[in-house]
Amino acid sequence: MAEGHTTPPVAEMSSVSLTRNSAEAVQRAHFAKNVPIRSIICRPDGGAGLAGQKVTVGGWVKTGREQGKGTFAFLELNDGSCAANLQVIVDASVAPLGQLVHTGTCVAVEGKLKEPPEGTRQKIELRVEKFIEVGTVDPAKYPLPKTRLTLEFLRDFVHLRPRTNTISAVARIRNALAYATHTFFQQHGFLYVHTPIITTSDCEGAGEMFQVTTLINDLEKMEKQLKKNPPPSEGEIEAAKLVVEEKGEAVAQLKLAEVSKEEISAAVALLTKAKEVLSKLEEKAKLKPGLPQKDGKIDYSQDFFARQAFLTVSGQLQVETYACGVGSVYTFGPTFRAEHSHTSRHLAEFWMVEIEIPFSDLEDDMNCAEAHVKFMCQWLLDNCLDDMEFMAKNFDKTVIDRLRTVTSTPFERITYTDAVALLEKVEDKKFENKVQWGIDLASEHERYLTEVLFKKPVIVYNYPKGIKPFYMRVNDDDKTVAAMDVLLPKVGELIGGSEREERLEAIQNRIFEMGLSPEPYEWYLDLRRYGTVRHAGYGMGFDRMILFATGIDNIRDVIPFPRYPGRADL
Ligand code: 4AD
Ligand code: MG
C-alpha cells in the first residue's frame, strides 16, 4: 500500500470525505485500507498520471469476464465513490477467477496502476498483484443482475439498491445537498437547532399526524398474560362461592354451639381466607383486554407521555422559540405525515429544512428562500458535475440546464390573486381542478405557472387565509395571509413559508376561527405574550429538492428508505 497511516489534516478531510471533490491526488480512504476509485479515475487526466503507483482497491463487480481461455479476467469494479468503474485485470495465478467475475461480487485487491493499451476508453487500469478478499455471489440467486433494472423494481431491494449506479449517484447528490444546506446557513450566521421528533402540537393543524403511544403495547402485554394465565371459569367462581358459604355456615354453627373463642376465631380466619380467594377470582374474571377508558374516551393519562403525542409534521413551532431568543435559526430533520397520498411527490416520512428569522418580513423570507435554492443548485454544478452528467445522460437531458437557469435567473414573484387571474385565462390546457380565487393551487396549476407560463422558479405570495395554517400573519385586507410558496419546474411546490402572526389577539382569533383546541398552543402563544417579535420562516422539502436536482420522477427513489402507505420495510 503506497499511503501512510497518519490522520489527514482537517482541511484535507473536509474536501475528501464531505464534498467528495474530484481533483486531488490518489490517497487512501480515511480509516480504511482501500483507495477510493474516485481518487484514481475522477481526476482531470482520468488517472493517467498515476501510472506506476501501487494501490489497494475494493468494490463490487459490475461486469466481469474471463479471457484468454481462463488465464486472466477483466473486472469492472465500482465502490460507489463515483459513477465510473475501474478496470481491473487479474491473472488466474493470483486468484480463483471463477469466483470473481459474477456481478455483485465484492473484491479487494492490491496491484499496480498502469496505462491501458492505445485505443481503449479508460485512461488507467489496475493490474492485480495480490488478492486480499472476496465476498462471493451465487449468480443464480443474486437479485440484481447486470441487466438494466427499473427504479420501481429496485424499490423491493432497498438494501441492495445502493450498489446500482443510479441510487449511488442520487446518494452522492443528496449528501452534497445536505452539506450545502449546512454550509449556506452557517455562512449566513444561522444557528442549527435540533427540534423534537415527538410532539403534542399539530403545527399544520391538518390532522395528518402519526400517533405515538404505548397503550397498544400494554394491551398486547395484557393479552399475552391472560393467555398464559387465563381468567377463572364460571365453574371455578361458583366453587369458590360454595367454599365461602360452607365456611360461613361453619362459623354460624360454632357460634350456636358456644364453643371457645379460639375455635370461632380459627373458623372466621378460614372464612376470611375463602372470601379473599373468591374476591381475587372475581377481580381476575373482570380483566378484559382493552384500552383504558375515561368518560367514554381513551384515557391518555395512562399513556407513556400522560397525554396524546405524535410524530412531528414540522419543527417550525419549536424552532420559532429559538428564533425568538437567539436570532436566525434552522432545523433539518425528518418529518412525518399520515396522508394517504400515492403521488410521486409525497412521502410519509420526508426531510425538511426549516428556517426562522427574527426581525424579518415576507420579502426577507422570499429573498432567503431564493438565495438558498440558488446556492444548492450552484453547489451541485461546482461539486457534483460528474454525477449530474450521469443523471442528464440517463434520466433527464435538461437537468443541468435547469440548474443553470435557477442559478442565473431571478425568480418570478407574483401574488396568489394575480396567479389565479393568469390561470383563469389559460385556454391551451384543461385543468382537472377548476381555478377560482380561494382554491388551494393543485400541482397541475403550480407546474403550469412555473413550467409553461414563466419557465423558471416562481414565488406565489399572499394566499387566501382560508387555505393556510393558523400561524400565518393576516394581511391588512383581512382576506389574505403573508404566505409564500416557491414553485419549481418538475416538482411544483418546493418551499412553503410565511411571516408569522406575532400579534397575540390576532393569532388567538385564528386558532378559534379554525376550530383548533388552544391548549397545545399555549406555550407558542407565550412567545407573543412576552416580548413578541415580527418574524418569518419557511420549510423546504429536501426530498423534492433532490427530485428537482436529479431529474428522477418518483420521490420514493431519492430517499434511501422510503416510507409510504403500505411500506415501511427495513
Ligand atoms: O408547506 P408545508 O406543509 O409547510 C410546513 O410544514 C411549514 N411548517 C414549514 C415552515 O414554514 N417551517 O411543507 C413544506 C414543504 C413543502 O413545500 C414540500 O416541499 C414538502 O415540505 N412536503 C413534502 N415532501 C414530501 N412528502 C410530503 N408528504 C410533503 N409534504 C410537504
Ligand atoms: Mg405547503
Side-chain angles (χ1 to χ4, degrees), residues 203-204 313-314 316 337 339 345-347 350 352 354 356 471 493-497 500 537-541 544 555:
C203 174
E204 296 305 295
V313 295
S314 157
Q316 176 198 322
R337 297 200 185 171
E339 330 169 64
R345 299 175 321 123
H346 286 89
L347 288 164
F350 63 99
M352 197 165 16
E354 295 186 84
E356 213 54 47
Y471 55 74
E493 179 190 340
L494 171 75
I495 288 177
R500 313 311 188 189
Y538 64 78
M540 170 193 282
R544 291 206 185 155
I555 199 162

Side-chain angles (χ1 to χ4, degrees), residues 70-251:
T71 55
F72 69 98
F74 281 120
L75 307 177
E76 292 283 329
L77 213 59
N78 187 286
D79 64 359
S81 62
C82 61
N85 304 327
L86 176 70
Q87 175 148 290
V88 172
I89 301 140
V90 205
D91 283 335
S93 57
V94 179
L97 300 184
Q99 275 186 16
L100 304 187
V101 292
H102 304 304
T103 300
T105 305
C106 180
V107 174
V109 287
E110 190 183 302
K112 207 178 242 173
L113 293 169
K114 68 179 207 43
E115 272 186 50
E118 285 273 320
T120 40
R121 200 167 28 95
Q122 63 274 14
K123 300 278 183 296
I124 196 81
E125 58 187 27
L126 183 75
R127 188 109 214 171
V128 174
E129 292 173 349
K130 196 169 140 202
F131 173 72
I132 299 175
E133 62 178 307
V134 59
T136 57
V137 148
D138 177 349
K141 292 190 181 149
Y142 186 56
L144 307 186
K146 213 163 52 187
T147 47
R148 202 183 159 113
L149 304 161
T150 64
L151 290 174
E152 200 174 357
F153 172 88
L154 288 175
R155 261 175 244 149
D156 287 334
F157 299 94
V158 286
H159 57 303
L160 293 173
R161 68 178 189 170
R163 295 187 193 175
T164 63
N165 292 339
T166 304
I167 298 296
S168 67
V170 170
R172 289 187 295 270
I173 291 170
R174 193 175 170 104
N175 167 69
L177 286 180
Y179 189 46
T181 298
H182 287 292
T183 308
F184 178 78
F185 288 112
Q186 295 295 329
Q187 280 179 358
H188 288 86
F190 285 62
L191 204 78
Y192 177 34
V193 175
H194 292 139
T195 46
I197 302 279
I198 298 173
T199 178
T200 54
S201 27
D202 180 357
C203 174
E204 296 305 295
E208 287 168 343
M209 305 211 284
F210 286 103
Q211 195 165 343
V212 177
T213 176
T214 52
L215 289 180
I216 308 211
N217 313 30
D218 296 345
L219 182 64
E220 280 178 351
K221 250 187 238 155
M222 191 175 169
E223 279 172 344
K224 245 189 218 158
Q225 244 163 16
L226 282 175
K227 225 181 209 169
K228 244 204 260 162
N229 191 358
S233 64
E234 272 180 29
E236 275 173 277
I237 292 176
E238 282 311 308
K241 275 187 187 159
L242 264 177
V243 175
V244 171
E245 250 171 56
E246 274 168 30
K247 302 292 174 197
E249 254 166 47
V251 170

